[in-house]
């Protein structure tokens, strides 16, 4: 796999799967445009990439805000001229709750980042890729996008929506040289799962419904980054609209 002279935009680049994937894409030659809400975290990722000899820039953005999304897309094009890879990855986990206790504000919060953020990223990046006639997009869904877990109905709905957006966009762009796939991680050791453990410890989760860690461990973010790099590269030239599960057997 190699991405020499390619430009990759990564959202949620400051932590977890986004950081590991940014480092992987940079290590195989991509110039990376790191996008995150958290300035310190995003700048730290850039520092790590520079230390390993990679090139990139960081742009602070809230992916749920249209003007921020347009700004990171415009800046990527201004600085590097094109966008070849888009890892549309930023996402948040909901507060675990029985269905009828889920606050309306919580529904809006999850949907605005996990669905609207992914939609806006696609909307503006695809305009650029369409002009180029090429590109690879990877949207981060989840195993919760193909089945559910207890007490996370809204998160699950948001990830089903990511798969819907992926398939709809893939269909439209299949003949235009642009591939769009969804990545479904299971449990990955990141800040996001640390909060899951915390919520579990507070008793908000039903233990019998805990996902089976069939390999006896979470994935390391770097194990997801390998798949991101594969989907980004020409090695995956015949893949579009796929829902790619990397879950250590969780959905078996
Ligand atoms: N960790 C898991 O087990 C797991 C499993 C399935 C799917 N996922 C998905 O993978 C993606 C990455 O998760 P992670 O585990 O690496 O999480 P993480 O919390 O480690 O990293 C997420 C990053 O996204 C950023 N972010 C959050 N909201 C943002 C916003 N509105 N605008 C810009 N940046 C924002 C955060 O600042 C953070 O740096 C998410 O979409 C998540 O739903 C994670």
């Amino acid at each position: 796999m190699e991405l020499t002279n390619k430009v990759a935009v990564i959202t949620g680049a400051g932590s977890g799967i986004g950081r590991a994937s940014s480092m992987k894409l940079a290590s195989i030659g991509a110039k990376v445009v790191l996008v995150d809400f958290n300035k310190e975290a995003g700048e730290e990722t850039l520092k790590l990439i520079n230390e390993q000899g990679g090139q990139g820039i960081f742009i602070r953005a809230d992916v749920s805000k249209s003007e921020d999304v347009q700004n990171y897309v415009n800046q990527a094009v201004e600085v590097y001229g094109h966008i070849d890879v888009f890892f549309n990855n930023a996402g948040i986990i909901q507060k675990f709750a029985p269905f009828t206790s889920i606050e309306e504000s919580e529904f809006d919060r999850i949907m605005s980042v996990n669905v609207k953020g992914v939609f806006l990223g696609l909307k503006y990046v695809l305009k650029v890729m369409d002009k180029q006639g090429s590109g690879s997009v990877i949207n981060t869904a989840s195993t919760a996008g193909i089945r559910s877990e207890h007490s996370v109905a809204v998160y699950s709905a948001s990830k089903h929506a990511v798969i819907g957006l992926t398939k709809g966009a893939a269909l439209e762009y299949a003949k235009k040289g642009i591939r769009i796939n969804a990545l479904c991680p299971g449990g990955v050791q990141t800040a996001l799962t640390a909060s899951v453990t915390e919520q579990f410890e507070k008793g908000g989760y039903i233990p019998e419904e805990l996902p089976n860690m069939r390999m006896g461990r979470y994935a390391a973010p770097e194990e997801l980054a390998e798949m991101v790099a594969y989907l980004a590269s020409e090695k995956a030239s015949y893949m579009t609209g796929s829902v790619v599960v990397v879950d250590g057997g969780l959905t078996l």
Side-chain angles (χ1 to χ4, degrees):
M1 290 182 296
E2 63 108 22
L3 294 175
T4 308
N5 296 326
K6 303 285 186 193
V7 177
V9 175
I10 302 107
T11 69
S15 176
I17 300 166
R19 173 176 285 175
S21 300
S22 301
M23 295 180 71
K24 175 70 190 180
L25 297 179
S27 78
I28 57 173
K31 296 182 188 88
V32 289
V33 176
L34 310 174
V35 176
D36 205 287
F37 187 63
N38 183 328
K39 185 169 181 283
E40 291 71 36
E43 285 176 349
E44 178 62 22
T45 303
L46 183 57
K47 186 167 154 259
L48 293 168
I49 285 168
N50 290 336
E51 280 169 8
Q52 69 178 19
Q55 283 183 54
I57 55 170
F58 167 70
I59 301 165
R60 185 181 181 280
D62 179 342
V63 298
S64 68
K65 301 246 172 354
S66 185
E67 59 275 20
D68 283 19
V69 175
Q70 291 176 64
N71 181 52
Y72 78 65
V73 172
N74 290 341
Q75 277 207 52
V77 174
E78 266 167 40
V79 174
Y80 292 122
H82 45 109
I83 300 174
D84 305 294
V85 175
F86 179 40
F87 185 30
N88 200 3
N89 164 72
I92 53 175
I93 186 81
Q94 80 166 90
K95 293 182 190 118
F96 288 31
F99 203 105
T100 54
S101 313
I102 299 170
E103 300 289 346
E104 205 177 318
S105 58
E106 181 65 351
F107 180 91
D108 290 341
R109 186 179 76 94
I110 297 300
M111 289 295 167
S112 75
V113 178
N114 292 6
V115 184
K116 192 175 172 199
V118 167
F119 164 73
L120 289 171
L122 281 166
K123 179 175 164 70
Y124 291 106
V125 170
L126 284 173
K127 284 187 183 176
V128 175
M129 289 183 169
D130 199 16
K131 279 193 205 138
Q132 298 167 178
S134 65
S136 172
V137 177
I138 303 112
N139 297 319
T140 305
S142 167
T143 49
I146 49 179
R147 61 197 279 272
S148 195
E149 303 294 347
H150 228 285
S151 310
V152 285
V154 172
Y155 178 75
S156 181
S158 75
K159 293 302 186 177
H160 277 72
V162 171
I163 291 176
L165 289 169
T166 302
K167 289 181 180 176
L171 200 58
E172 204 171 316
Y173 286 89
K175 285 211 172 85
K176 297 182 175 177
I178 301 164
R179 298 181 296 101
I180 303 156
N181 293 291
L183 176 69
C184 294
V188 188
Q189 195 77 60
T190 68
L192 186 143
T193 40
S195 98
V196 169
T197 309
E198 198 180 294
Q199 294 195 60
F200 173 53
E201 282 166 3
K202 282 184 191 153
Y205 205 80
I206 297 170
E208 300 89 285
E209 299 290 343
L210 265 180
N212 280 337
M213 292 293 155
R214 304 200 195 263
M215 291 188 176
R217 63 174 180 86
Y218 282 118
E222 290 74 17
E223 293 177 285
L224 276 299
E226 292 295 328
M227 181 55 74
V228 173
Y230 175 76
L231 291 171
S233 78
E234 277 306 299
K235 296 271 182 203
S237 55
Y238 201 61
M239 289 183 73
T240 196
S242 294
V243 179
V244 180
V245 174
V246 180
D247 71 349
L250 186 146
T251 45
L252 287 175

